[in-house]
Amino acid sequence: MSSSELKNDRILRAFQRQPVDRTPVWMMRQAGRYLAEYREVRAQAGSFMGLCRSPELAARVTLQPLERYELDAAILFSDILTIPDAMGLGLNFVAGEGPVFEHRVKTAADIDRLPQPSAEKELRYVMDAVAACRKELAGQVPLIGFTGSPWTLATYMIEGGSSKTFAASKSLLFNEPEAAHRLMAKLADTVADYLNGQVEAGAQALMIFDTWGGALDPVRYREFSLAYMRRIVEQLPREREGRRIPVTLFTKGGGQWLEDIADTGCDGVGLDWTTSLTDARRRIGDRVALQGNLDPCMLHANPEVIRREVARCLEEFGHGPGHVFNLGHGIQPETPPENVDAMIRALHELSPAYHDAAATSATS
Ligand code: CP3
């Protein structure tokens, strides 16, 4: 199906800062454990990676949040850690512990030995999941493909899993910067191939999660995270099926570097809740779209508070196009699903006032 047959293109228009009738919305981690129907399919798959490796099940959970809520995009169900897994590190998700790798990257020799998995071979199953999602969506909304940033992937590869201090991964940057550059370059080129493969398989927008960029000092952020996200953006296809493929960069905790992030050539910048949308729009809103930024904890508040905060978010961005509503980070597993309803209802009621009534935009 060509994207001209898209029934709802609000989000693609918003990423290009074109007029829309209301502010489009999707949520990071919108398919996940807060949904009972997700937990059911997850149990059926046996393991998280089993779910990611089954195109049929991955497509099923990708569509689940759209059956409940009027969202303007789907995001591929997968994980950023598919790449380190395909580099031979052996990924497991241990209950209560999160991701754990069988092998860690410890030395410069380990870095030089790492293979570069390709979208066509080792990561073929992700491309198959993209194609299955696109088919199931049948033009309902655009499909977002994604990856982790080189630095964020490297933290998991070096620490062997999640970390609070990033002591080992930061030590590599400080003590062996040349080896660190070789690792980031290898990851950047693997990620670029991976995202190109996702676009070929049908992804209509892309997002790079730099979840741990904000843990770096400004010098190391520019040198080891931002520079490699730029290297990725430079290698991406910008158009397919006659439409721009927007790419969004999200550095959690990156509010002080917005100008540099916008300068990479991306179309959208993701914001967490510590940056004001007013401030971000003033600084970079003439160049890129802004995505965010409700605190995911807000979804534990009562529906009246949620409505008031959605109103505040819309007011902070202000009138006109270029805003893609989202949370400031992934939705939490303990979130009551009915509170998501309250958020989306408030957005649908309140956001048309921020757009020109004449906007044709989405066709649905
Ligand atoms: O947004 C979506 O709905 C698409 C799916 C998606 C997942 N992970 C599914 C998932 C996306 C976009 C991700 C990205 C991801 N994965 C990031 C970047 C975004 C962020 O949240 O910062 C990171 C850092 C990871 C790594 C990861 N994957 C961790 C740390 C964990 C364990 C902790 C946790 O939240 O569960 C995962 C597992 C994971 N990825 C789950 C899901 C639904 C839960 C595992 C399960 O169901 O068993």
Side-chain angles (χ1 to χ4, degrees):
M1 163 174 306
S2 83
S3 66
S4 56
E5 292 170 58
L6 258 178
K7 297 186 189 85
N8 171 349
D9 67 352
R10 268 186 201 99
I11 219 152
L12 298 183
R13 295 181 61 91
F15 276 126
Q16 288 192 261
R17 289 172 292 124
Q18 292 170 350
V20 286
D21 55 350
R22 66 178 194 221
T23 307
V25 54
W26 71 281
M27 292 182 296
M28 290 189 260
R29 298 281 195 108
Q30 64 189 24
R33 284 169 299 182
Y34 74 108
L35 294 176
E37 58 271 32
Y38 167 81
R39 296 194 296 269
E40 206 172 288
V41 179
R42 164 80 172 76
Q44 195 185 324
S47 69
F48 177 75
M49 286 307 283
L51 181 48
C52 294
R53 285 180 192 281
S54 158
E56 190 220 317
L57 297 182
R60 199 186 304 168
V61 295
T62 297
L63 269 74
Q64 284 175 343
L66 300 161
E67 283 149 21
R68 271 195 193 242
Y69 311 115
E70 255 188 85
L71 296 158
D72 296 293
I75 178 160
L76 164 71
F77 188 84
S78 190
D79 200 85
I80 64 166
L81 302 178
T82 50
I83 286 181
D85 181 60
M87 288 180 154
L89 299 190
L91 175 62
N92 290 295
F93 283 89
V94 181
E97 265 186 71
V100 177
F101 284 106
E102 279 161 43
H103 310 285
R104 291 198 291 147
V105 169
K106 295 197 192 94
T107 63
D110 291 343
I111 289 170
D112 297 330
R113 264 198 303 268
L114 280 173
Q116 270 183 252
S118 88
E120 280 309 308
K121 292 199 205 85
E122 297 85 350
L123 291 159
R124 181 77 243 163
Y125 70 95
V126 179
M127 311 308 136
D128 293 343
V130 170
C133 290
R134 186 69 196 271
K135 182 156 173 276
E136 285 299 310
L137 280 167
Q140 195 185 333
V141 290
L143 177 66
I144 303 171
F146 71 92
T147 179
S149 71
W151 159 248
T152 294
L153 295 178
T155 66
Y156 289 98
M157 295 165 72
I158 297 165
E159 308 288 343
S162 301
S163 170
K164 287 208 169 74
T165 61
F166 306 102
S169 28
K170 286 187 183 182
S171 294
L172 179 79
L173 309 188
F174 301 148
N175 292 329
E176 294 185 80
E178 282 166 19
H181 277 298
R182 291 204 299 279
L183 175 57
M184 301 308 159
K186 201 178 257 194
L187 283 167
D189 295 343
T190 304
V191 161
D193 170 71
Y194 186 60
L195 290 179
N196 272 285
Q198 291 186 39
V199 170
E200 252 167 63
Q204 290 149 300
L206 297 171
M207 168 133 175
I208 302 177
F209 287 94
D210 186 29
T211 305
W212 303 123
L216 292 169
D217 64 80
V219 171
R220 251 58 57 162
Y221 174 71
R222 288 196 179 83
E223 186 176 345
F224 293 102
S225 187
L226 189 70
Y228 291 94
M229 290 198 283
R230 180 180 296 114
R231 176 163 168 157
I232 294 164
V233 171
E234 283 165 358
Q235 296 180 58
L236 296 179
R238 303 323 297 263
E239 226 185 78
R240 177 129 176 136
E241 301 172 52
R243 282 197 92 134
R244 186 159 180 93
I245 306 287
V247 54
T248 299
L249 303 193
F250 171 57
T251 290
K252 185 163 172 284
Q256 59 178 319
W257 304 312
L258 296 183
E259 292 82 357
D260 306 84
I261 299 171
D263 275 348
T264 56
C266 64
D267 302 272
V269 172
L271 304 170
D272 67 34
W273 60 93
T274 63
T275 297
S276 116
L277 279 163
T278 309
D279 183 42
R281 191 176 188 187
R282 184 178 48 73
R283 289 164 59 194
I284 57 168
D286 57 336
R287 283 183 277 159
V288 292
L290 302 176
Q291 176 176 285
N293 69 347
L294 197 75
D295 183 343
C297 281
M298 198 59 75
L299 293 178
H300 300 299
N302 65 54
E304 298 79 67
V305 176
I306 292 171
R307 185 183 163 90
R308 190 188 71 206
E309 290 299 313
V310 167
R312 192 189 50 77
C313 223
L314 289 168
E315 187 57 33
E316 271 198 12
F317 182 84
H319 194 87
H323 183 200
V324 173
F325 192 93
N326 204 315
L327 303 174
H329 196 200
I331 187 168
Q332 295 162 357
E334 308 78 18
T335 304
E338 60 276 18
N339 287 2
V340 174
D341 241 335
M343 178 186 87
I344 291 172
R345 250 185 292 117
L347 189 76
H348 287 178
E349 277 174 42
L350 302 170
S351 73
Y354 291 89
H355 300 280
D356 293 325
T360 44
S361 72
T363 48
S364 77

